[in-house]
Amino acid sequence: MNIVDLRSDTVTQPTPQMREAMLNAPVGDDVYGEDPTINRLQEMAAARLGKEAGVFLPSGTMGNLASMLAHCGRGDEVIMGHRAHTFLYEAGGVSALGGVHSCQIPNQADGTLALDDIRAAIRDDDDHEPVTRLVCLENTHNRCGGVALTAAYTRQVGDLVHARGIRLHLDGARLFNAAVGLGVDAAVLAGPADSVTFCLSKGLCAPVGSVLCGSHEFIGKVRRIRKQLGGGMRQAGILAAAGIVALETMVDRLAEDHARARSLAHGLAKLPGLVLDKETPDTNMVFVALAEAVPFDADQFAQKLALAGIKVGVVSARRFRMVLHYWVDDAGVEQTIQAFANVLRDEPA
Ligand SMILES: *Cc1c(COP(=O)(O)O)cnc(C)c1O
């Protein structure tokens, strides 16, 4: 049976070209700054995002954490959305390890933070209050449905916070999905941010790693924090080699994942019993809920789909997330729609 794994784009395997590049990568000790492959990846990433410098990290979570720790001291405050990955899914690292206070304001359905909410959350200079140092945005916004934040919006937030002496960090785990989805350069989306992370190991298919980009001074600070966090790696050019192939070969093709996400959403929207968050997804994610009439909950439904080789992410009692990626083809999309139809008719999937 063909397995279609739609739980996440983190399940992607490296491509044959990546494995080849990994085998042949020149390497050195990166804590000494001597790994030529890592240095090349960092330069490529910084150039792609229009920043002075970049640093390779083992995960996106460490990239966000190191960035927030570099921007904020103990007792300082970072503003983020209540559905942000940094708030929901990073184990509270910024507070646990950095003593940084976080302030959550509502994410709008389109993934943005309302400018008025940001303005209202910024603290006055008052001994009673923490000092607001940083605002974090997320693009694409995962929990809001893989929605893409526009360059104009990001610019507005940048202008607003910079006028108050506050920094902007962009969690761009899927920034290239946003860029391809909107048809703009990633550097334009990253432009207003003082720091930006993106993941190599999601839709771009590299096995490990994220890059955090910013000014030379900022990245210098981050390198020391990365060491404190235990993220200083040695001959990790083996990993960065796959990241270089990812940037060179896997960015433009994200449009294929977005097209398949649309086909999947359109196919599922025709089935009675399913309610799509968005019938035309912005990027590579499809969120769908079971209508009240469906006599199973999401876990039971997912178990039935699994019998037909379809793996989906269960995100709440009656909701699923499906993420399209390089390893799901058109036949996989058809197989998924068919399996949903069969389970809804209470037939063997
Ligand atoms: C995946 C992801 C991250 C980083 O996650 P890691 O698994 O640590 O690489 C950060 N932000 C968002 C929005 C993500 O989806």
Side-chain angles (χ1 to χ4, degrees):
M1 181 173 32
N2 182 39
I3 303 294
V4 183
D5 195 344
L6 296 161
R7 290 170 301 164
S8 179
D9 45 11
T10 57
V11 303
T12 46
Q13 301 268 323
T15 63
Q17 199 186 336
M18 288 179 188
R19 290 181 189 269
E20 185 73 27
M22 293 170 81
L23 186 63
N24 297 312
V27 296
D29 189 329
D30 179 53
V31 177
Y32 295 164
E34 289 177 3
D35 188 302
T37 308
I38 292 188
N39 290 341
R40 191 165 152 237
L41 171 65
Q42 291 173 165
E43 281 161 25
M44 277 176 72
R48 276 301 263 271
L49 298 188
K51 302 295 178 201
E52 286 175 8
V55 60
F56 183 61
L57 295 127
S59 71
T61 297
M62 192 185 285
N64 285 332
L65 177 59
S67 180
M68 290 189 280
L69 296 184
H71 287 301
C72 306
R74 298 186 73 80
D76 286 345
E77 190 169 63
V78 49
I79 297 171
M80 56 180 75
H82 77 307
R83 290 183 153 167
H85 194 276
T86 47
F87 177 58
L88 294 175
Y89 305 122
E90 300 186 4
V94 65
S95 306
L97 305 177
V100 178
H101 195 251
S102 77
C103 169
Q104 300 84 49
I105 60 177
N107 276 114
Q108 307 300 310
D110 64 359
T112 60
L113 304 174
L115 297 179
D116 281 340
D117 290 342
I118 298 175
R119 259 184 224 109
I122 295 174
R123 307 280 188 162
D124 292 327
D125 184 9
D126 178 331
D127 282 352
H128 296 82
E129 301 188 28
V131 176
T132 307
R133 290 276 181 222
L134 184 67
V135 172
C136 290
L137 294 177
E138 185 174 316
N139 199 7
T140 62
H141 201 289
N142 184 342
R143 262 299 157 253
C144 290
V147 289
L149 272 47
T150 64
Y153 168 74
T154 310
R155 172 64 59 197
Q156 283 181 308
V157 175
D159 290 348
L160 164 62
V161 304
H162 291 145
R164 303 287 299 267
I166 295 164
R167 300 277 166 80
L168 178 63
H169 172 70
L170 181 60
D171 174 359
R174 297 186 181 81
L175 187 68
F176 290 105
N177 290 92
V180 168
L182 294 167
V184 302
D185 220 85
V188 175
L189 295 176
D194 300 283
S195 56
V196 53
T197 48
F198 70 92
C199 287
L200 293 161
S201 62
K202 293 182 171 166
L204 301 185
C205 289
V208 179
S210 282
V211 186
L212 169 58
C213 297
S215 69
H216 281 302
E217 191 196 345
F218 174 81
I219 294 301
K221 214 169 161 186
V222 167
R223 288 185 70 90
R224 178 167 287 116
I225 292 168
R226 182 184 67 166
K227 194 76 180 82
Q228 290 179 324
L229 296 173
M233 298 183 287
R234 303 296 177 175
Q235 287 73 28
I238 296 275
L239 302 173
I244 290 171
V245 175
L247 281 180
E248 283 175 342
T249 69
M250 303 302 282
V251 172
D252 293 339
R253 67 148 305 283
L254 292 171
E256 296 171 27
D257 300 337
H258 299 178
R260 290 195 180 100
R262 290 194 294 271
S263 309
L264 177 60
H266 291 161
L268 294 178
K270 290 190 194 122
L271 302 178
L274 298 181
V275 184
L276 274 289
D277 273 23
K278 243 187 169 180
E279 288 191 20
T280 305
D282 282 12
T283 59
N284 65 335
M285 292 187 191
V286 177
F287 281 75
V288 61
L290 297 171
E292 268 177 38
V294 177
F296 316 114
D297 67 20
D299 278 325
Q300 293 164 329
F301 202 101
Q303 278 166 23
K304 289 171 186 285
L305 290 173
L307 297 175
I310 309 299
K311 297 186 184 184
V312 297
V314 173
V315 293
S316 66
R318 299 188 70 81
R319 251 161 72 81
F320 307 107
R321 182 184 78 161
M322 283 166 277
V323 188
L324 281 294
H325 55 75
Y326 181 71
W327 298 97
V328 177
D329 59 11
D330 290 335
V333 170
E334 278 313 308
Q335 188 182 335
T336 304
I337 296 168
Q338 196 53 53
F340 266 90
N342 292 345
V343 175
L344 286 165
R345 282 197 302 266
D346 206 7
E347 287 168 8

